[in-house]
Amino acid sequence: MAAAAAAAATVQRPETETVEKASNPQWPLPPEHRPSVPATRPGDGEEAPVRPLCKPRGICSRAYFLVLMVFVHLYLGNVLALLLFVHYSNGDASTDPRPQRREQSPPSVPTLGPLTRLEGIKVGYERKVQLVAGRDHFIRTLSLKPLLFEIPGFLSDEECRLIIHLAQMKGLQRSQILPTEEYEEAMSTMQLSQLDLFQLLDQNHDGRLQLREVLAQTRLGNGRWMTPENIQEMYSAIKADPDGDGVLSLQEFSNVDLRDFHKYMRSHKAESNELVRNSHHTWLHQGEGAHHVMRAIRQRVLRLTRLSPEIVELSEPLQVVRYGEGGHYHAHVDSGPVYPETVCSHTKLVANESAPFETSCRYMTVLFYLNNVTGGGETVFPVADNRTYDEMSLIQDDVDLRDTRRHCDKGNLRVKPQQGTAVFWYNYLPDGQGWVGEVDDYSLHGGCLVTRGTKWIANNWINVDPSRARQALFQQEMARLAREGGSDPQPEWALDRAYSDARVEL
């Protein structure tokens, strides 16, 4: 170290000192033998001699430099020790002073921002929006319960005709199949006591089965739509109601052999007009690689809903539906019930959960009218803006407000089909934290009977899982698969294409 310090001292000394050493002996002379230097003052006409920067034993001496280097090393050592102390006190429990490589923690599930909702303000309120460059659209509030809006001219006539053409080219299938014999046999072998069945049907727990209590459960049956007349005919055929008042006591119900109900149902094959839904439909892909008009419509819906692109792009493709003359869809809600054990069909694609219930979780419905209907075909919201909602009140005095074949005119709100017009509504109430709450019962709606001509519509459903964490995990997983999917940004596993052969029924 001394040799290194000496070499450093030699390098750092000024040039004048080196010159002086060259002309003088190695050891300093006594004062009496030192050469005298003539005294001069500035301004005498001669330049003052250049003084050496350091005296031979001054602050630039070898001894001083060695002392300075010792202090510098001590200072750097203290700084290094302080940095190491800070490093290890921040969570590195290792006693090894060598640099340690931290283990990378697995990526956390992303947090999702709140879901946007358009404010209704009041019924009849209009606002101007720009969904297409250079063109204004007007959104009009139709209802506050549910939150329902109308946008005339959302689609052009050419776009409507193209959608119908693409659907016809792909081919449509019946929206609801007729009840099968296998289903009837399965129902007849169901292990359920008559007392349990009676208590299940007796919703007001008064010990009597009214017609409306039985009718309220028909949506859980085999797809056949039962009317009060159908129920009374069945009671009469199997002698279930001796007094003919249309009400069954527990005793009367217990006297009936349940197999007689199933025999009666099997002997009366349902016609298409007796089903919950009488229509044909198909699905049109809207993801990357789809027809440019289909992509443009999806982007327009994205701007309309103001939701994140990930949510809209990972939703169901466009469903196109044709109702012929006599076509209808009895009143229903588009989204399934919310239970802790319920898994949404789209998040189950990657969640791989074995949950007992699977349903279609549709945060929003955007419905497009693709043509003008000659007769009937309105979209009815039977209880829109009612003060209260009571499922039993939907059926009063043999009038079933859910029956769109016979009682559409008694619904609170009906929207007439107009080519290019879009209506959209929210199927869920907010949960108070910017996410999905309970299903909005007021979103009950149906397609009125087409009395003349043909009705074409299309549905864009925006899928959101009521479980915020599950939705975030789904989006994270889909993004990962997209990165690994190669050149195709939306491979075959993507949700949009997963519906190519699917029949989604609630």
Side-chain angles (χ1 to χ4, degrees):
M1 180 174 177
T10 303
V11 172
Q12 292 184 16
R13 288 183 182 178
E15 185 179 349
T16 54
E17 187 178 355
T18 306
V19 174
E20 183 183 359
K21 277 191 170 188
S23 59
N24 290 316
Q26 290 290 327
W27 291 274
L29 296 175
E32 60 271 17
H33 294 290
R34 292 178 185 172
S36 61
V37 179
T40 58
R41 289 187 300 232
D44 289 344
E46 296 182 10
E47 292 186 4
V50 179
R51 293 190 179 192
L53 293 178
C54 297
K55 292 182 181 181
R57 294 292 178 184
I59 61 173
C60 289
S61 66
R62 177 181 176 185
Y64 179 83
F65 183 80
L66 289 174
V67 173
L68 180 64
M69 291 298 294
V70 170
F71 278 100
V72 168
H73 280 80
L74 289 174
Y75 175 78
L76 292 176
N78 288 334
V79 171
L80 180 61
L82 178 61
L83 291 176
L84 288 173
F85 173 78
V86 172
H87 171 70
Y88 289 112
S89 64
N90 281 342
D92 191 344
S94 173
T95 57
D96 189 351
R98 290 175 298 177
Q100 301 258 339
R101 184 175 181 180
R102 288 175 175 265
E103 292 292 332
Q104 290 187 354
S105 58
S108 59
V109 175
T111 57
L112 300 178
L115 298 170
T116 56
R117 290 175 71 93
L118 197 64
E119 293 294 332
I121 312 298
K122 63 178 182 179
V123 174
Y125 178 80
E126 285 192 357
R127 75 200 75 195
K128 183 170 65 175
V129 294
Q130 193 172 72
L131 305 174
V132 179
R135 180 183 174 191
D136 293 331
H137 285 88
F138 290 89
I139 302 178
R140 180 171 177 261
T141 303
L142 297 183
S143 166
L144 298 179
K145 296 191 307 183
L147 202 50
L148 169 67
F149 305 91
E150 179 185 51
I151 313 174
F154 186 90
L155 300 178
S156 67
D157 293 351
E158 292 76 15
E159 289 172 329
C160 292
R161 287 193 291 269
L162 176 66
I163 293 173
I164 293 174
H165 178 66
L166 292 175
Q168 290 173 327
M169 287 182 61
K170 184 175 181 182
L172 288 84
Q173 61 183 347
R174 181 176 287 278
S175 299
Q176 182 179 333
I177 60 174
L178 296 170
T180 62
E181 293 184 4
E182 289 78 7
Y183 176 86
E184 301 288 358
E185 290 178 3
M187 290 296 295
S188 64
T189 59
M190 184 175 59
Q191 299 297 320
L192 189 66
S193 70
Q194 287 188 236
L195 177 60
D196 291 338
L197 183 57
F198 184 89
Q199 292 176 342
L200 178 66
L201 296 173
D202 185 17
Q203 296 191 19
N204 60 7
H205 307 294
D206 65 349
R208 293 159 57 84
L209 289 185
Q210 286 84 17
L211 283 174
R212 61 179 182 171
E213 289 177 315
V214 178
L215 289 170
Q217 302 301 324
T218 56
R219 69 182 66 180
L220 303 178
N222 61 358
R224 188 195 310 262
W225 185 262
M226 301 296 287
T227 66
E229 293 81 8
N230 295 148
I231 299 294
Q232 288 179 317
E233 288 173 5
M234 181 173 63
Y235 284 172
S236 176
I238 64 176
K239 299 179 173 54
D241 183 20
D243 53 13
D245 62 354
V247 178
L248 299 185
S249 65
L250 177 58
Q251 184 61 46
E252 290 173 334
F253 188 80
S254 301
N255 291 336
V256 176
D257 188 342
L258 292 182
R259 289 174 295 184
D260 293 338
F261 282 106
H262 302 302
K263 289 178 183 178
Y264 177 85
M265 296 299 290
R266 282 198 301 269
S267 64
H268 291 73
K269 297 301 180 183
E271 302 294 334
S272 58
N273 61 357
E274 296 177 314
L275 297 176
V276 172
R277 183 179 186 181
N278 181 17
S279 64
H280 292 75
H281 76 272
T282 191
W283 302 90
L284 295 181
H285 176 61
Q286 289 185 283
E288 295 294 335
H291 192 285
H292 69 91
V293 170
M294 304 304 297
R295 288 296 297 156
I297 293 172
R298 171 149 280 183
Q299 294 302 310
R300 207 174 305 164
V301 169
L302 175 62
R303 288 189 287 272
L304 170 68
T305 61
R306 302 177 188 174
L307 293 167
S308 69
E310 294 80 10
I311 286 181
V312 175
E313 291 287 1
L314 293 177
S315 292
E316 295 170 63
L318 189 74
Q319 187 197 50
V320 184
V321 188
R322 183 190 71 221
Y323 295 90
E325 193 166 311
H328 67 279
Y329 195 171
H330 290 303
H332 59 284
V333 291
D334 278 348
S335 207
V338 180
Y339 302 117
E341 59 272 20
T342 301
V343 170
C344 298
S345 57
H346 74 300
T347 50
K348 192 169 184 177
L349 291 177
V350 296
N352 198 22
E353 297 182 40
S354 55
F357 301 108
E358 180 180 334
T359 187
S360 297
C361 299
R362 294 160 172 169
Y363 176 63
M364 290 181 64
T365 297
V366 186
L367 185 152
F368 313 106
Y369 296 111
L370 303 180
N371 72 324
N372 298 313
V373 183
T374 308
E378 300 91 346
T379 303
V380 62
F381 293 81
V383 293
D385 286 325
N386 258 12
R387 244 178 228 184
T388 58
Y389 176 84
D390 178 16
E391 188 172 14
M392 287 296 98
S393 67
L394 294 172
I395 307 170
Q396 295 286 348
D397 300 326
D398 294 341
V399 174
D400 188 349
L401 292 178
R402 303 168 306 158
D403 190 333
T404 58
R405 288 184 59 86
R406 302 195 299 177
H407 303 302
C408 254
D409 59 327
K410 298 178 178 64
N412 286 359
L413 174 65
R414 295 189 306 281
V415 182
K416 182 176 177 59
Q418 187 71 35
Q419 187 178 39
T421 294
V423 291
F424 71 98
W425 64 89
Y426 298 89
N427 294 304
Y428 290 92
L429 299 170
D431 68 344
Q433 299 178 353
W435 203 248
V436 175
E438 294 297 320
V439 172
D440 188 352
D441 293 323
Y442 293 91
S443 67
L444 185 75
H445 67 284
C448 297
L449 179 70
V450 176
T451 58
R452 191 168 48 183
T454 303
K455 169 186 173 183
W456 285 90
I457 65 166
N459 295 300
N460 251 155
W461 285 299
I462 309 302
N463 303 96
V464 177
D465 198 312
S467 168
R468 200 168 190 161
R470 200 161 53 202
Q471 179 71 36
L473 179 63
F474 169 68
Q475 292 183 202
Q476 181 189 50
E477 190 70 6
M478 295 293 272
R480 182 186 68 81
L481 292 173
R483 289 193 301 270
E484 298 173 358
S487 58
D488 188 353
Q490 199 168 41
E492 290 299 330
W493 47 257
L495 180 70
D496 196 313
R497 296 183 182 176
Y499 280 84
S500 58
D501 298 315
R503 179 185 292 113
V504 177
E505 295 293 343
L506 292 176

